[in-house]
Amino acid sequence: MNCETCQLKELVVEPPEIREVLRCILHTILFHRALGLVRPKDVECELFDITYVQCEDHELEKKIDEKINQFIGWVEKHPNRKSQVCISFYEVKNKHATWFGNKIERFYWEQWYINLHIISPKPHGKSHNTKAHVVTGENAFEESNSRCAALESSLREVLFQIIKFVNEKKDHIPPLQNSEIVSYPYEISTPR
Amino acid sequence: MATSPSHSSPESAIIEQVITEFFAKSLHIILESRSPYVSSRNYTVDQFMSSPSSSCSSSSSMPRDKWFNLALRDCPAALENFDIWRKSNLEPLVIDIILIRRALVPDVARPLGGCLLRNFSENSDLALEPKSWKIVERWIVQYERHKSSSSKNHKDIRKCGTKNNGGSSCSSETAFYKKTYKRYIILFRSLYVFIRLLPTYKLFHELNSSGQICPLSLSHRISSSIQPFTQEDEAKMNQFTFVPIDTPRGRLSLSVQYLRTLEDIRSEPSAPLSLQFILDYIGSPTTDPFRRLKSLPSAQSSPALVSFTRQHSWSNDHGALASVPLCPSVACSEACGIRCNPSLCLPPLTHRNDHSPPVISEPQNAAVTHKNNMSFDEFWPSPFSPTSSPSSPAHLPGQRSPNALQSGSSQIDIAKAHPITASQTKACSSEGKLQIKMDTLRYGNYQTGPTLVKGFPSGKDDTEKLAELPSSSTQGPLSRSFSGSSLLDKFDDSGFACPFADYKDVTESCNRRSPDAVVGAVVQMLLTAAPLRQDLSNLCRPPQVFMDESLNPCVQHDQANTEQSECPASTSEVLASVLLKSKTAAEGLEELRRYKELKESILKQGASRSSDVDSGPKSAGTNDQS
């Protein structure tokens, strides 16, 4: 079975935006891979004018939030760096019983790479001149707004990219073994 | 060997059921996020009941909304439309999402995105009439049947049958269905996410959450035929096609054409002309009254009826003519006129104790103002006036000025107009002016009571009178007092020497008062009018000085005659007594003329006496000169 890989478009984000961006992307991916019976839940982004969809599953939300917190902790220690968050779907096969224990093999059939470029917010330039300081502040505000708008547009592109990928690639998806399970087994990997 | 499928076989029924539910689910997801007020979001009750239908096979035990593992709430609009459509399964399902822009017409007053719309008249309302519409999205769901039986799908079906060792086509189709079911699931997941990323969803969300009536609205149209767009429209649209899903005998496809942006449509100016006036008016209750009055059009502009009619609402006795009040408050009660600055509506100078209709004895401009004053008298309301007065000049031929609106709007310009009348009243004493101010406040701010006392120094009488006023505001906001004082300040700042200066515009604008109020105002004006005697005293000053010792001015004479029992201690009391005995201007002039004649006669007498003494030598001199 082939492992399909999708490299999502790189997003330039600031630390306060990491949580919202990752939530949007991870939930969108999982909603397309939680093929069990779900009741969709619309979520309005707080920072962006985007509505994404969650599977109304508390365990899923909890696990995602834990991984996001883990990633944010790593970013705080390694600021201003490019990083990746990877979500992989696998199926468990061939439980080999060995002398040392049961060996569980995972066959990854799909991997998503969320590319983030973490930047630190630009501090306001210190200036003794009041007017210059005001101008600098205004420029920084406009620059921040434009950057935020660009990020929203990029995030929307990423979501469209996900939709396009899941529509085009379907043959590699393993059959549904149990409809009671919400989602295929998955794991979220963050830098260490 | 491929066998032709039988529609009566249960497996085929399953495929047909899947196709039917595919259309239903597509319609459900689309309308749920595009049809405001009928979306399932507005329904709190979860209903997971499958709707009974004739084509619903007994083998389908799965509720409709749980089809394809996507549990959706019941959407009545979708189900209703689907029940109408489902009669022809093989025809495409075309769902047009239409953006409708409506215009507001005078029918129903409703809030509009923050702008408060008022009734245009007492009996008319505002309504939304469709003005323009545009298709912003077109969803096409269709099932295409394969013409050839030897298709890839049949090979796949045979494979499934072989795998399952069933051999029959029915079991192979079932296996094929199970294999492809996850494709349906993924497709609808994608559809659910994708539809929320389109530009129309934002508008839908705003309309669904605002709860207010907006000129923009979303509607939908379901048909089975595809009407092509124009080239211009297609150029503005994007297209997205979901990967089709093969069925044993055909293919299910779902595609959408949507406008890239709705900003150009939403930003199109569609507000009617009347709305512009309403915006000006809406700001008026809390804004400066002068600002509001400035923005008001002339009486001839018919669409601008909101503010005019509002005044009409409290001055219903005065016919259809609308006039702009001097008071900015929206919630004018019957005492609205009281809140107006009466200084604007004061009549020309008249005798205080002359209760008869004022005689036109003033100069020409004053006559004009007096003429208007007659109409003013008719309509000026006053809380202090008797309810009915036989002497009230209600029958006076006061003319309703066609420029009442302009006069009201020119409240600020009163100071600029009629300089002659302003010069006449320059001699208003400070006490008189103070009296006027007090009355102004009394009219405009009687409801605030003590605040009036605080602002201005006054004599005992005025203080007592003010103390009689209610101590708390019984009607309207405190801002009225500020508006009144602000009006007064405006006049002071503009060099308006005396509120008596101009009456024409003021009286015309006050034509809406009730007769009682008008009479009361007239009485008040008479009481507070500056004494005419003052002007005469000014004019008589040179001869008065000359004749002071010999003849004594009539003031002293009047004082001696009428104020023997009184000993006025202050100048104001002297003037008051003089006022009581003051004569008309004509009489004064007549007196002046007599005094002049007397003076000339005295001078002649003096000259003649001197000439008689020097008549001899002078006459010789005169002869030599000739």
Side-chain angles (χ1 to χ4, degrees), chain B residues 97 99 134-137 200 218 237 257-259 262 265:
Chain B
I97 305 300
L99 179 63
K134 191 176 183 64
I135 298 175
V136 295
E137 288 180 358
T200 310
L218 284 174
M237 302 181 98
Q257 282 178 290
Y258 62 95
L259 284 175
L262 299 179
I265 298 175

Side-chain angles (χ1 to χ4, degrees), chain B residues 155-167 171-177 179:
Chain B
K155 293 176 185 176
D156 293 336
I157 293 170
R158 284 198 297 270
K159 283 182 182 177
C160 291
T162 306
K163 274 187 179 180
N164 294 335
N165 298 323
S171 58
S172 59
E173 287 181 355
T174 303
F176 181 80
Y177 157 72
K179 181 181 177 182

Side-chain angles (χ1 to χ4, degrees), chain A residues 34-36 42 167 171 173, chain B residues 41 69 71 182-183 189-190 202:
Chain A
L35 302 187
D42 296 348
N167 264 270
D171 295 332
I173 300 174
Chain B
R41 296 163 183 236
N69 286 350
K182 67 180 178 187
R183 296 176 181 263
R189 300 293 170 90
S190 298
K202 182 181 177 183

Side-chain angles (χ1 to χ4, degrees), chain A residues 127-145:
Chain A
S127 172
H128 296 287
N129 190 350
T130 307
K131 289 186 179 178
H133 182 68
V134 171
V135 172
T136 305
E138 291 177 354
N139 292 338
F141 182 74
E142 291 177 359
E143 192 177 331
S144 175
N145 283 346

Side-chain angles (χ1 to χ4, degrees), chain B residues 304-584:
Chain B
L305 298 176
V306 176
S307 57
F308 305 153
T309 313
R310 283 209 68 78
Q311 302 315 313
H312 181 69
S313 64
W314 59 262
S315 56
N316 294 330
D317 299 336
H318 310 300
L321 277 182
S323 68
V324 173
L326 304 174
C327 309
S329 176
V330 173
C332 283
S333 63
E334 293 183 356
C336 178
I338 302 164
R339 287 182 271 114
C340 298
N341 190 344
S343 63
L344 304 172
C345 308
L346 293 171
L349 296 173
T350 59
H351 296 287
R352 176 176 289 187
N353 56 347
D354 189 0
H355 297 288
S356 61
V359 178
I360 302 175
S361 60
E362 293 83 356
Q364 187 177 7
N365 51 358
V368 173
T369 58
H370 169 74
K371 184 179 181 184
N372 292 323
N373 178 44
M374 296 163 68
S375 62
F376 163 77
D377 295 344
E378 183 177 355
F379 299 111
W380 179 251
S382 170
F384 306 111
S385 64
T387 53
S388 63
S389 169
S391 62
S392 60
H395 60 282
L396 291 176
Q399 55 177 332
R400 295 169 186 253
S401 170
N403 297 325
L405 302 171
Q406 291 178 344
S407 64
S409 61
S410 62
Q411 187 178 11
I412 306 172
D413 299 329
I414 288 174
K416 300 178 185 175
H418 307 286
I420 299 175
T421 56
S423 63
Q424 279 187 342
T425 57
K426 277 184 180 178
C428 288
S429 65
S430 58
E431 289 81 4
K433 197 184 255 186
L434 178 63
Q435 188 74 18
I436 294 164
K437 283 188 178 181
M438 295 304 298
D439 297 327
T440 300
L441 293 173
R442 184 179 302 161
Y443 275 118
N445 309 296
Y446 76 103
Q447 297 163 342
T448 59
T451 57
L452 302 173
V453 182
K454 182 180 178 181
F456 293 89
S458 61
K460 290 181 180 179
D461 294 338
D462 293 322
T463 305
E464 291 173 356
K465 289 177 182 175
L466 289 171
E468 295 171 357
L469 296 173
S471 58
S472 62
S473 173
T474 55
Q475 290 181 6
L478 187 61
S479 61
R480 263 184 247 153
S481 62
F482 295 110
S483 64
S485 59
S486 66
L487 287 171
L488 202 58
D489 294 336
K490 283 283 182 180
F491 288 125
D492 290 338
D493 294 336
S494 59
F496 193 41
C498 179
F500 295 103
D502 179 31
Y503 311 110
K504 176 183 179 183
D505 296 339
V506 163
T507 56
E508 289 170 356
S509 65
C510 295
N511 289 337
R512 299 261 152 253
R513 313 291 184 256
S514 64
D516 295 338
V518 170
V519 168
V522 168
V523 169
Q524 189 62 31
M525 282 187 298
L526 292 173
L527 292 174
T528 58
L532 185 61
R533 193 71 179 172
Q534 274 184 311
D535 295 332
L536 297 177
S537 63
N538 290 336
L539 292 171
C540 299
R541 192 170 290 125
Q544 197 173 25
V545 172
F546 174 79
M547 295 179 290
D548 188 21
E549 296 177 357
S550 58
L551 295 176
N552 288 332
C554 55
V555 174
Q556 293 184 3
H557 174 73
D558 291 333
Q559 281 184 345
N561 290 336
T562 62
E563 298 178 358
Q564 288 176 359
S565 61
E566 297 176 1
C567 299
S570 62
T571 310
S572 60
E573 292 179 352
V574 170
L575 290 174
S577 61
V578 168
L579 247 155
L580 291 172
K581 302 294 180 181
S582 62
K583 304 174 183 178
T584 60

